[in-house]
Amino acid sequence: YRDLHTFELQAPTRLIEWARGSRVCVAGYGQSDGNEILQLIAPPTLLTKETQGLCPERDFKVECGGFSERPVYSLKYVPDTSLLVTSGPPDSSLQVWQVSAEDSDVIKSVSTIATENGTGQSWAKIATISARAPWVLHGSRLDRVQITEVESRKNVYTAAFRGSEELSGLAFLDCNTLLLCCSTGRLCLADIRQPQSLVEAVSVASAPCSEQWCMGTRHGAQGLEQSSQPVARLSSRGLLTLTDFRKTSEFLALAKARVPSPGSGAEFLCVSWAPALEGCLAISGFDGTVHVYDTQSWDSSGREAEPIFVHKGHAFGGAGGSGDPPLVTVHTWHLQKPRTLLSAASDGSLHVWDWVQPCGKC
């Protein structure tokens, strides 16, 4: 490691979201009332452009926080605002939160975005954008995708797709183009100017019906076009596919990650592209580790890929609340520092780490 910081949360978290500056938002996913939503200030060493020596302040600091009456399964910061949007059981409604001004340390609930026929639906996956206005893209199933203006709660777009597959993720590619991933691995492109328009990417190979998939898209990277990075899909068996959404009829690459056999569920599967490194991605959700891969040498053979780095810090952190070894619930990349990642685990541990660059790699 070049650098490693740890922070212990009061409860396990399943999401990390970069907010304004070098602030990080986290939230708990317990089933009881009072799940915390916190905004943390990152350690000062993360604010410098170069790694410093010893620093007296090496921990995250809680800047403000609040409590959600329901588990928080997804959280997104709304760009260019002080708002957060969250979702979680027992239905597909969204909760909007105001991160208070500097003279207050409270994150307060300000509104709820209800969804039509939302009762009985699973929790909604969400994405946000502020290209035209603060929008949230949300939905739990392919035929229930909507865009809502966050502040006015006005419906901007309702999809007219056929198919009721459960969604595992969705994203804005730009203010008009949406990318949707079903838990079955089905990947679709949609245009909000044509509500019935849906372009399906090349399907993943047939697999057991219990196999689950998630996707990772590139966030706004410095010096790199959004279109220069393919969409990554990760399955609960550790299969990885790369697809160029400009040419959805074929795979760019296929690989098998070096991960243990899948457990009973795949709710914490996570794959993400490095925003400041060409061709590097990270995966987690199989055990207490985070694997980093360089995809630039991958081909369509589907052979096992060798990780360039494995973060094992959570695995050695002790047992979770159930007595089982900790499971990494989420990870995310620092937006500017190329090899810096944050990861959280089921035991409440939050790590931020930077690995030493291998010669000739990322």
Side-chain angles (χ1 to χ4, degrees), residues 11-15 27-31 35 71-73 268 329 345-347:
T13 179
R14 63 177 292 155
L15 41 94
Y29 63 89
Q31 296 301 317
N35 294 283
V72 181
Y73 276 30
F268 299 121
T329 55
S346 55
D347 61 352

Side-chain angles (χ1 to χ4, degrees), residues 343-358:
S343 54
S346 55
D347 61 352
S349 59
L350 175 65
H351 291 182
V352 56
W353 40 279
D354 187 338
W355 80 93
V356 177
Q357 179 177 358

Side-chain angles (χ1 to χ4, degrees), residues 23 73 88 150 166 188 224 228 237 240 274 288 322 324 355-356:
R23 291 166 170 81
Y73 276 30
V150 176
E166 184 176 350
C188 302
L224 292 173
S228 69
R237 290 194 298 157
L240 280 156
S322 63
D324 298 325
W355 80 93
V356 177

Side-chain angles (χ1 to χ4, degrees), residues 220-235:
Q222 294 183 341
L224 292 173
E225 294 291 334
Q226 164 82 339
S227 59
S228 69
Q229 196 79 347
V231 179
R233 278 177 284 180
L234 170 68
S235 84

Side-chain angles (χ1 to χ4, degrees), residues 222-349:
Q222 294 183 341
L224 292 173
E225 294 291 334
Q226 164 82 339
S227 59
S228 69
Q229 196 79 347
V231 179
R233 278 177 284 180
L234 170 68
S235 84
S236 54
R237 290 194 298 157
L239 302 179
L240 280 156
T241 72
L242 306 184
T243 308
D244 188 335
F245 50 75
R246 298 168 299 179
K247 190 177 181 181
T248 58
S249 59
E250 61 185 46
F251 291 123
L252 288 178
L254 299 171
K256 176 71 169 65
R258 184 175 293 183
V259 296
S261 300
S264 57
E267 61 177 327
F268 299 121
L269 281 183
C270 183
V271 56
S272 63
W273 286 104
L277 287 175
E278 184 68 31
C280 280
L281 60 75
I283 67 169
S284 63
F286 297 89
D287 53 16
T289 65
V290 182
H291 290 210
V292 180
Y293 292 90
D294 181 359
T295 69
Q296 295 181 85
S297 62
W298 289 7
D299 54 29
S300 58
S301 65
R303 62 190 176 192
E304 185 174 88
E306 179 79 21
I308 61 172
F309 188 79
V310 179
H311 174 59
K312 301 179 180 179
H314 297 285
F316 298 108
S322 63
D324 298 325
L327 173 67
V328 173
T329 55
V330 70
H331 72 266
T332 190
W333 295 79
H334 193 285
L335 298 179
Q336 286 84 36
K337 292 208 165 189
R339 293 181 305 280
T340 299
L341 291 92
L342 290 89
S343 54
S346 55
D347 61 352
S349 59

Side-chain angles (χ1 to χ4, degrees), residues 83-84 86 94-98 108-114 149-153:
L83 299 175
L84 301 171
T86 65
L94 310 181
Q95 289 69 52
V96 181
W97 304 80
Q98 174 76 53
K108 61 180 180 180
S109 176
V110 292
S111 65
T112 296
I113 299 175
E149 193 171 286
V150 176
E151 294 171 315
S152 67
R153 288 175 283 172

Side-chain angles (χ1 to χ4, degrees), residues 165-169 181-186 209 211-214:
E165 294 102 318
E166 184 176 350
L167 290 172
S168 62
C181 183
C182 300
S183 58
T184 58
R186 185 182 179 189
C209 59
E211 186 173 22
Q212 303 290 304
W213 290 79
C214 68

Side-chain angles (χ1 to χ4, degrees), residues 1 17-18 44 91 141 189 200 225 231 250 265 269 282 303 323:
Y1 293 95
E17 176 77 357
W18 283 105
D91 54 39
R141 297 187 177 276
L189 277 169
E200 186 169 351
E225 294 291 334
V231 179
E250 61 185 46
L269 281 183
R303 62 190 176 192

